[in-house]
Amino acid sequence: MTFYPSLANLAADIAVFTLVEAELRVLLIRRANPPFQGMWALPGGFVEPHEDAHSAARHELTEETGIPEGSFHLEFVAAYTAPGRDPRNRVASFAYMALVPQVPPTAAGGDAADAALLPVAGVLDGTVPVGFDHRTIIGDALEHARDRLENTTIAAAFCPPEFTVTELRRVYEAVWGTRLDMRNFHRKVTGIEGFLEPTGRKTTRDGGRPAELYRTGEATRLRPPMYRG
C-alpha cells in the first residue's frame, strides 16, 4: 500500500438552527474578505492539529457565536471533500448541525463583517447569497434535522428547559414545513413513554387558558416514531 502526504486542510462548519417567532432560521456570518467577500457563510474554522473535528466544531461554535457550552445540541451531518469547494486551497469540511433554543446577540469578528439569523427558506431558494457550498450543507443539515425529529427527542433542543406542547409542536411545524393537527399531536407526544415529563406547573405564555409545562424525559428515541406524512 502506498501512502501519500495529505494535500487537504480540514475544517468544521456548523449550521446553527433556531426558531424566531416560529420561523426556522440559520446563523450566518457575512464575509469581510475574499473569497466570497460580502456573501453569507456558515460559522466554522480549521481543525487544529491537536483536536478532532467534533472538538473543533464545539469550540468554533462557542467562540464565534457566544452560545455557551452545554446549551446546544450538536450532531455530525456529513463530510464535504469535492475539489474546488474552496478556491484558496483543497479543504475537506466536516459539517455539523447545532440546535439551540435561543441564539444570543452575536458580534462579528475575524473575517466576518456581520452576523445574523436568516430564514432557512431564503437561503435554500437563493434569495440569500451564500458562499462556498454552504447552501448545500444547510439543505443537508435541514434534511438531517427533519429525519432526526421523526425518530429522536431532539426537537426539545429548540425549546427552553420547560415548555408547552404547543411550543414543541411549533418546532415540528417549522422544521418539517407543515401544519400539524393540534389534538393529534398532543395525543402522540404525551403518549410516547419517556418523551415528556410533566412539571406540575402551568403557563399562559401561549395565550388563552393556562397550559401544562413539560420537560424532556429520559428517552432519547421515539417509540413509536413521529412521521411527517
Side-chain angles (χ1 to χ4, degrees), residues 153-174:
T153 61
I154 67 166
F158 283 101
C159 300
E162 295 184 358
F163 52 89
T164 67
V165 171
T166 296
E167 289 170 334
L168 184 64
R169 175 173 52 83
R170 289 173 184 152
V171 172
Y172 279 89
E173 290 180 335

Side-chain angles (χ1 to χ4, degrees), residues 44-217:
F46 289 109
V47 179
E48 299 294 338
H50 66 275
E51 63 185 357
D52 58 29
H54 192 84
S55 298
R58 295 190 76 87
H59 91 246
E60 289 288 346
L61 180 58
T62 300
E63 290 177 4
E64 290 199 14
T65 67
I67 301 171
E69 181 74 27
S71 65
F72 55 82
H73 177 89
L74 186 70
E75 284 192 11
F76 174 70
V77 175
Y80 298 82
T81 62
R85 59 180 304 275
D86 189 322
R88 296 168 295 186
N89 201 351
R90 183 74 187 268
V91 177
S93 178
F94 297 89
Y96 288 81
M97 168 192 76
L99 311 181
V100 294
Q102 187 173 8
V103 176
T106 54
D111 65 351
D114 194 9
L117 289 167
L118 300 175
V120 172
V123 173
L124 297 182
D125 68 13
T127 303
V128 178
V130 179
F132 304 99
D133 54 357
H134 289 184
R135 179 173 290 109
T136 297
I137 293 177
I138 293 167
D140 292 347
L142 174 59
E143 192 57 34
H144 180 83
R146 286 172 170 169
D147 289 343
R148 296 288 281 161
L149 258 64
E150 291 186 343
N151 298 288
T152 75
T153 61
I154 67 166
F158 283 101
C159 300
E162 295 184 358
F163 52 89
T164 67
V165 171
T166 296
E167 289 170 334
L168 184 64
R169 175 173 52 83
R170 289 173 184 152
V171 172
Y172 279 89
E173 290 180 335
V175 176
W176 284 349
T178 188
R179 298 283 293 179
L180 299 173
D181 180 80
M182 291 185 293
R183 292 183 180 180
N184 193 35
F185 180 83
H186 191 285
R187 177 182 57 80
K188 285 183 177 180
V189 296
T190 56
I192 297 175
E193 185 176 356
F195 187 9
L196 303 182
E197 182 179 293
T199 65
R201 291 182 289 277
K202 295 185 177 182
T203 181
T204 57
R205 66 187 182 219
D206 289 332
R209 295 182 298 176
E212 296 283 349
L213 281 168
Y214 294 85
R215 64 172 68 93
T216 52

